Amino acid sequence: MLMTRVMPCLLLKDGGLVKTVKFKNPGYIGDPINAIRIYNEKEVDELIFLDISATLDHRPPPYKVLAEIASECFMPVTYGGGVRDVDTIRQILSLGIEKVAINSYAVENADFVRKASEKFGSSTIVVSIDARRKFFGGYEVCTHGGRKSSGLDPVAFAVKMAQMGAGEILLTAMDRDGTQEGYDIELVRDVTNSVDVPLIACGGAGKIEDLSDVVKNG
């Protein structure tokens, strides 16, 4: 039976929440703790926090902020950003965060996903894939906040990550990020048809119908 979950994806930068459009021009929109209190009342299924500058700035996750987030949340939390070693994952989980998302380093070192899933369990490890449309068709995986092109096909990469032990795939359509124009159904469908792990579709939601569309057709 398919279990559909609503999982807001919130972007962190310098300890605050920001909004981007197509991964560009992050604008401050508020304090993460205030947002959590709202989502607690709305009873969403899970929350995802992604620090969009941790990898770019070559710094560790914002542990103090994560501790505050974990203590305030009533629902499971996934965190991603600056995750490059087992000790970092262990420290994140020790704060009360349930899942850890790996993005850029999964591209650089695919075997790390296998090691992490063996150490902490597949249900704890999410691989985050940022994909954009190529000019002449098809899609490409990008890393470092969308700044680096990997040359990898998102479908083939998602299959490899599932084989490496990723328990979930967080798939973000870069071209739809922040646009509220609806999900990239083609991209979502291509990946879901190829992997046997749950997929989280991200990027483009603007109305309730977008959610039903991506679930039914993606």
Side-chain angles (χ1 to χ4, degrees), residues 107-129:
V107 171
E108 297 174 27
N109 183 4
D111 194 55
F112 175 63
V113 174
R114 179 187 61 78
K115 292 178 180 177
S117 62
E118 289 177 353
K119 185 73 173 178
F120 302 104
S122 290
S123 62
T124 303
I125 304 302
V126 178
V127 168
S128 172
I129 300 175

mmCIF file of all heavy atoms in Angstrom, residues 107-129:
data_model
loop_
_atom_site.group_PDB
_atom_site.id
_atom_site.type_symbol
_atom_site.label_atom_id
_atom_site.label_comp_id
_atom_site.label_asym_id
_atom_site.label_seq_id
_atom_site.Cartn_x
_atom_site.Cartn_y
_atom_site.Cartn_z
ATOM 1 N N VAL A 107 27.933 11.915 -4.611
ATOM 2 C CA VAL A 107 28.452 11.938 -5.981
ATOM 3 C C VAL A 107 29.963 11.736 -5.973
ATOM 4 O O VAL A 107 30.524 10.990 -6.787
ATOM 5 C CB VAL A 107 28.098 13.266 -6.676
ATOM 6 C CG1 VAL A 107 28.807 13.394 -8.024
ATOM 7 C CG2 VAL A 107 26.585 13.385 -6.870
ATOM 8 N N GLU A 108 30.635 12.383 -5.033
ATOM 9 C CA GLU A 108 32.091 12.290 -4.961
ATOM 10 C C GLU A 108 32.564 10.916 -4.495
ATOM 11 O O GLU A 108 33.599 10.417 -4.952
ATOM 12 C CB GLU A 108 32.629 13.354 -3.994
ATOM 13 C CG GLU A 108 32.369 14.784 -4.425
ATOM 14 C CD GLU A 108 32.801 15.779 -3.355
ATOM 15 O OE1 GLU A 108 33.718 15.451 -2.570
ATOM 16 O OE2 GLU A 108 32.214 16.872 -3.297
ATOM 17 N N ASN A 109 31.804 10.311 -3.588
ATOM 18 C CA ASN A 109 32.222 9.047 -2.990
ATOM 19 C C ASN A 109 30.998 8.178 -2.739
ATOM 20 O O ASN A 109 30.458 8.144 -1.636
ATOM 21 C CB ASN A 109 32.977 9.317 -1.682
ATOM 22 C CG ASN A 109 33.504 8.055 -1.031
ATOM 23 O OD1 ASN A 109 33.392 6.957 -1.570
ATOM 24 N ND2 ASN A 109 34.070 8.194 0.158
ATOM 25 N N ALA A 110 30.570 7.471 -3.776
ATOM 26 C CA ALA A 110 29.352 6.667 -3.680
ATOM 27 C C ALA A 110 29.457 5.594 -2.610
ATOM 28 O O ALA A 110 28.460 5.243 -1.970
ATOM 29 C CB ALA A 110 29.041 6.033 -5.034
ATOM 30 N N ASP A 111 30.645 5.089 -2.382
ATOM 31 C CA ASP A 111 30.818 4.019 -1.401
ATOM 32 C C ASP A 111 30.518 4.505 0.019
ATOM 33 O O ASP A 111 30.216 3.699 0.902
ATOM 34 C CB ASP A 111 32.243 3.466 -1.469
ATOM 35 C CG ASP A 111 32.387 2.144 -0.721
ATOM 36 O OD1 ASP A 111 31.623 1.206 -1.034
ATOM 37 O OD2 ASP A 111 33.232 2.070 0.183
ATOM 38 N N PHE A 112 30.590 5.820 0.234
ATOM 39 C CA PHE A 112 30.268 6.365 1.549
ATOM 40 C C PHE A 112 28.821 6.072 1.921
ATOM 41 O O PHE A 112 28.509 5.842 3.094
ATOM 42 C CB PHE A 112 30.531 7.871 1.570
ATOM 43 C CG PHE A 112 30.119 8.538 2.851
ATOM 44 C CD1 PHE A 112 30.729 8.205 4.054
ATOM 45 C CD2 PHE A 112 29.119 9.493 2.867
ATOM 46 C CE1 PHE A 112 30.352 8.815 5.242
ATOM 47 C CE2 PHE A 112 28.735 10.112 4.045
ATOM 48 C CZ PHE A 112 29.351 9.768 5.243
ATOM 49 N N VAL A 113 27.936 6.087 0.936
ATOM 50 C CA VAL A 113 26.524 5.779 1.186
ATOM 51 C C VAL A 113 26.385 4.346 1.683
ATOM 52 O O VAL A 113 25.617 4.071 2.621
ATOM 53 C CB VAL A 113 25.682 6.018 -0.077
ATOM 54 C CG1 VAL A 113 24.239 5.561 0.126
ATOM 55 C CG2 VAL A 113 25.736 7.482 -0.485
ATOM 56 N N ARG A 114 27.137 3.439 1.078
ATOM 57 C CA ARG A 114 27.106 2.041 1.532
ATOM 58 C C ARG A 114 27.599 1.919 2.972
ATOM 59 O O ARG A 114 26.971 1.263 3.809
ATOM 60 C CB ARG A 114 27.963 1.169 0.607
ATOM 61 C CG ARG A 114 28.008 -0.305 1.031
ATOM 62 C CD ARG A 114 28.988 -1.093 0.190
ATOM 63 N NE ARG A 114 30.353 -0.586 0.331
ATOM 64 C CZ ARG A 114 31.143 -0.844 1.369
ATOM 65 N NH1 ARG A 114 30.704 -1.603 2.372
ATOM 66 N NH2 ARG A 114 32.364 -0.364 1.413
ATOM 67 N N LYS A 115 28.722 2.574 3.262
ATOM 68 C CA LYS A 115 29.283 2.508 4.613
ATOM 69 C C LYS A 115 28.318 3.104 5.641
ATOM 70 O O LYS A 115 28.142 2.562 6.739
ATOM 71 C CB LYS A 115 30.613 3.250 4.656
ATOM 72 C CG LYS A 115 31.719 2.584 3.854
ATOM 73 C CD LYS A 115 33.003 3.395 3.907
ATOM 74 C CE LYS A 115 34.112 2.721 3.091
ATOM 75 N NZ LYS A 115 35.356 3.529 3.078
ATOM 76 N N ALA A 116 27.697 4.226 5.283
ATOM 77 C CA ALA A 116 26.772 4.894 6.202
ATOM 78 C C ALA A 116 25.535 4.047 6.454
ATOM 79 O O ALA A 116 25.066 3.932 7.593
ATOM 80 C CB ALA A 116 26.380 6.260 5.641
ATOM 81 N N SER A 117 25.000 3.439 5.400
ATOM 82 C CA SER A 117 23.790 2.630 5.562
ATOM 83 C C SER A 117 24.078 1.356 6.351
ATOM 84 O O SER A 117 23.237 0.883 7.129
ATOM 85 C CB SER A 117 23.195 2.276 4.196
ATOM 86 O OG SER A 117 24.089 1.500 3.426
ATOM 87 N N GLU A 118 25.287 0.796 6.181
ATOM 88 C CA GLU A 118 25.657 -0.381 6.963
ATOM 89 C C GLU A 118 25.848 -0.023 8.430
ATOM 90 O O GLU A 118 25.513 -0.808 9.323
ATOM 91 C CB GLU A 118 26.944 -1.000 6.396
ATOM 92 C CG GLU A 118 26.757 -1.694 5.053
ATOM 93 C CD GLU A 118 28.058 -2.232 4.495
ATOM 94 O OE1 GLU A 118 29.132 -1.941 5.088
ATOM 95 O OE2 GLU A 118 28.014 -2.936 3.470
ATOM 96 N N LYS A 119 26.367 1.165 8.679
ATOM 97 C CA LYS A 119 26.647 1.598 10.043
ATOM 98 C C LYS A 119 25.385 2.005 10.796
ATOM 99 O O LYS A 119 25.194 1.650 11.971
ATOM 100 C CB LYS A 119 27.616 2.781 10.013
ATOM 101 C CG LYS A 119 28.082 3.269 11.365
ATOM 102 C CD LYS A 119 29.060 2.306 11.999
ATOM 103 C CE LYS A 119 29.648 2.874 13.271
ATOM 104 N NZ LYS A 119 30.570 1.921 13.930
ATOM 105 N N PHE A 120 24.503 2.742 10.131
ATOM 106 C CA PHE A 120 23.352 3.334 10.811
ATOM 107 C C PHE A 120 22.010 2.779 10.355
ATOM 108 O O PHE A 120 20.987 3.126 10.934
ATOM 109 C CB PHE A 120 23.367 4.848 10.623
ATOM 110 C CG PHE A 120 24.619 5.508 11.125
ATOM 111 C CD1 PHE A 120 25.595 5.948 10.245
ATOM 112 C CD2 PHE A 120 24.828 5.676 12.484
ATOM 113 C CE1 PHE A 120 26.756 6.544 10.701
ATOM 114 C CE2 PHE A 120 25.983 6.275 12.962
ATOM 115 C CZ PHE A 120 26.965 6.705 12.069
ATOM 116 N N GLY A 121 22.004 1.961 9.312
ATOM 117 C CA GLY A 121 20.763 1.409 8.779
ATOM 118 C C GLY A 121 20.238 2.215 7.610
ATOM 119 O O GLY A 121 20.311 3.449 7.613
ATOM 120 N N SER A 122 19.715 1.532 6.617
ATOM 121 C CA SER A 122 19.224 2.203 5.416
ATOM 122 C C SER A 122 18.121 3.209 5.716
ATOM 123 O O SER A 122 18.008 4.247 5.058
ATOM 124 C CB SER A 122 18.708 1.172 4.398
ATOM 125 O OG SER A 122 19.777 0.428 3.847
ATOM 126 N N SER A 123 17.304 2.913 6.717
ATOM 127 C CA SER A 123 16.185 3.801 7.037
ATOM 128 C C SER A 123 16.646 5.157 7.543
ATOM 129 O O SER A 123 15.863 6.107 7.589
ATOM 130 C CB SER A 123 15.273 3.151 8.073
ATOM 131 O OG SER A 123 15.978 2.923 9.290
ATOM 132 N N THR A 124 17.929 5.250 7.907
ATOM 133 C CA THR A 124 18.477 6.507 8.421
ATOM 134 C C THR A 124 19.106 7.354 7.314
ATOM 135 O O THR A 124 19.256 8.564 7.472
ATOM 136 C CB THR A 124 19.556 6.208 9.489
ATOM 137 O OG1 THR A 124 18.966 5.418 10.520
ATOM 138 C CG2 THR A 124 20.139 7.470 10.093
ATOM 139 N N ILE A 125 19.445 6.731 6.189
ATOM 140 C CA ILE A 125 20.225 7.406 5.147
ATOM 141 C C ILE A 125 19.356 7.773 3.952
ATOM 142 O O ILE A 125 18.746 6.918 3.309
ATOM 143 C CB ILE A 125 21.395 6.524 4.685
ATOM 144 C CG1 ILE A 125 22.273 6.149 5.882
ATOM 145 C CG2 ILE A 125 22.204 7.241 3.612
ATOM 146 C CD1 ILE A 125 22.847 7.325 6.649
ATOM 147 N N VAL A 126 19.313 9.067 3.669
ATOM 148 C CA VAL A 126 18.608 9.599 2.499
ATOM 149 C C VAL A 126 19.659 10.160 1.542
ATOM 150 O O VAL A 126 20.573 10.857 1.964
ATOM 151 C CB VAL A 126 17.643 10.740 2.910
ATOM 152 C CG1 VAL A 126 16.933 11.323 1.683
ATOM 153 C CG2 VAL A 126 16.646 10.251 3.939
ATOM 154 N N VAL A 127 19.535 9.825 0.269
ATOM 155 C CA VAL A 127 20.403 10.458 -0.722
ATOM 156 C C VAL A 127 19.606 11.547 -1.428
ATOM 157 O O VAL A 127 18.531 11.298 -1.976
ATOM 158 C CB VAL A 127 20.964 9.446 -1.738
ATOM 159 C CG1 VAL A 127 21.615 10.175 -2.916
ATOM 160 C CG2 VAL A 127 21.994 8.547 -1.073
ATOM 161 N N SER A 128 20.130 12.752 -1.358
ATOM 162 C CA SER A 128 19.479 13.921 -1.955
ATOM 163 C C SER A 128 20.070 14.171 -3.333
ATOM 164 O O SER A 128 21.291 14.323 -3.483
ATOM 165 C CB SER A 128 19.697 15.136 -1.043
ATOM 166 O OG SER A 128 19.240 16.315 -1.659
ATOM 167 N N ILE A 129 19.205 14.208 -4.342
ATOM 168 C CA ILE A 129 19.642 14.397 -5.726
ATOM 169 C C ILE A 129 19.032 15.680 -6.278
ATOM 170 O O ILE A 129 17.807 15.829 -6.322
ATOM 171 C CB ILE A 129 19.220 13.207 -6.609
ATOM 172 C CG1 ILE A 129 19.834 11.903 -6.081
ATOM 173 C CG2 ILE A 129 19.622 13.437 -8.058
ATOM 174 C CD1 ILE A 129 19.366 10.665 -6.840
#
